[in-house]
Amino acid sequence: MTAADLGLATAGRGTVAHRPTGAAVRRMTLAVPNKGRLVEPTLALLHDAGLIFEERDRSLISRVENVALDILFVRTNDVIEFVGDGVADLGITGGDLLAEADTDLPIVRSLGYGRCRLAAAVPRDAPQREIAQLAGLRVATAHPGATRRWFEARGIPVTVITLSGAVEVAPRLGLADAIVDLVSSGVTLGTNGLRPIGDLLASEAVMVGNPARLVDEADAIDRLDTMLGAVLAGRRRKYVMMNAPVDHLADLAALLPGLESPSVIPLAHAGMIAIHAVVGSDDVWDLLPRLKAAGASGILVLPIEKLIA
Ligand code: AMP
């Protein structure tokens, strides 16, 4: 699919919206996946960032109502090409696909979801214990570019066999001795009788930018990136509120390093204070019993929608 097929502007010319004042504002374009496992977390991130748009059954383009931005829904694999060609200013795709395409498109931000590894695996009863032991063997993969480059860079000679799917069954069919595939939990490898022997790379969803637009549209891109970053930072933290006798403050504050120092608010009940602090989401499980033991009561844990430190 080309930009012309889509009726879109190509490099250097964006679609233009007109403000009521008559001043033209260039609308940016963000390419996002229209299918697959990155769709839901990507749309959730964009909505959480405050972009107002309708998905309309994933039609090709959604107009963001409150920002001069259009969202272009394309195949995850095509995002890199659209951004590289300048059809889109920005795009969200998997880091593994960047590695596969061997592109130097700049990563504006790593997004923390879609985490997976490009892992090598062999049949459970095979003798290999590490990737170097694949020298001289056949490796089946749907990621031939990244796989070939990884082995070449390390001087490990392998025969890369490119398959577009069902890579896990290649050893059983006698097509290959090992596979290289994307893995998140590793359960699929196990159910196919395979044993991982090492990772080629780690991947997560990333936002990439067209190099020229990162300069020309620096302010607008920075605003969007700041909001995405604020959502991601908020998700990693919780807002904790509690009441406590004032003479327990030192003990509680020691447990609450927070973003800066915790806020301490006097309560109407003499000798009592409220303490508010920002803590790591991962710490909440350990922290609450310790806060309780240190004299806190009425402990509330609230989500943080956005956080700009
Ligand atoms: P999909 O469109 O569902 O095939 O997956 C697109 C992207 O999701 C991949 O390019 C990866 O960046 C990411 N991903 C995350 N976990 C996995 C996984 N276990 N298997 C395949 N892709 C994954």
Side-chain angles (χ1 to χ4, degrees):
M1 190 159 49
T2 66
D5 293 335
L6 298 172
L8 288 168
T10 45
R13 289 185 295 125
T15 43
V16 169
H18 293 280
R19 278 181 175 159
T21 58
V25 173
R26 181 178 174 281
R27 294 185 70 79
M28 288 207 303
T29 303
L30 169 68
V32 304
N34 64 355
K35 278 202 202 91
R37 63 187 85 212
L38 297 184
V39 173
E40 294 309 326
T42 297
L43 293 176
L45 174 63
L46 299 179
H47 285 302
D48 288 353
L51 299 177
I52 300 171
F53 61 96
E54 281 181 27
E55 290 158 38
R56 274 187 263 112
D57 299 326
R58 308 272 147 74
S59 57
L60 194 55
I61 297 184
S62 276
R63 187 185 166 86
V64 177
E65 290 169 28
N66 55 335
V67 177
L69 178 72
D70 292 322
I71 298 178
L72 178 64
F73 292 92
V74 298
R75 286 180 30 194
T76 314
N77 277 311
D78 291 338
V79 168
I80 293 168
E81 204 173 318
F82 276 64
V83 176
D85 290 351
V87 174
D89 305 84
L90 297 164
I92 293 179
T93 189
D96 56 296
L97 295 169
L98 280 186
E100 183 59 23
D102 197 23
T103 166
D104 50 12
L105 271 192
I107 293 177
V108 178
R109 181 173 288 277
S110 294
L111 301 174
Y113 57 84
R115 286 188 198 275
C116 55
R117 303 167 283 128
L118 191 61
V122 293
R124 203 171 285 138
D125 54 4
Q128 295 81 19
R129 296 279 150 192
E130 53 188 72
I131 302 186
Q133 294 170 337
L134 296 180
L137 300 180
R138 298 163 304 159
V139 178
T141 185
H143 310 269
T147 301
R148 205 168 274 129
R149 275 189 295 279
W150 192 91
F151 281 100
E152 277 172 15
R154 286 157 187 80
I156 305 169
V158 294
T159 304
V160 174
I161 295 167
T162 305
L163 299 178
S164 54
V167 170
E168 318 80 45
V169 297
R172 215 180 311 147
L173 297 176
L175 281 174
D177 306 294
I179 68 159
V180 164
D181 205 5
L182 288 178
V183 175
S184 35
S185 65
V187 169
T188 314
L189 288 183
T191 54
N192 282 289
L194 297 168
R195 172 167 51 77
I197 55 170
D199 295 339
L200 283 67
L201 57 90
S203 172
E204 64 184 282
V206 291
M207 181 163 79
V208 290
N210 175 279
R213 302 295 167 69
L214 290 180
V215 177
D216 298 348
E217 303 288 340
D219 288 349
I221 290 175
D222 190 51
R223 273 198 295 277
L224 176 64
D225 179 49
T226 299
M227 293 303 268
L228 298 188
V231 172
L232 298 172
R235 286 178 183 170
R236 291 193 296 271
R237 297 180 175 90
K238 298 285 181 205
Y239 194 74
V240 180
M241 307 197 292
M242 72 211 77
N243 296 338
V246 68
D247 54 354
H248 288 56
L249 175 58
D251 289 348
L252 290 165
L255 295 172
L256 294 166
L259 200 55
E260 287 161 9
S261 66
S263 306
V264 177
I265 303 147
L267 294 181
H269 194 304
M272 290 294 286
I273 50 171
I275 304 173
H276 293 192
V278 175
V279 305
S281 305
D282 294 347
D283 300 331
V284 169
W285 180 263
D286 282 335
L287 187 62
L288 293 201
R290 298 173 72 196
L291 292 173
K292 185 165 178 275
S297 60
I299 305 172
L300 297 180
V301 180
L302 306 178
I304 295 176
E305 192 179 295
K306 294 186 185 66
L307 187 152
I308 299 178

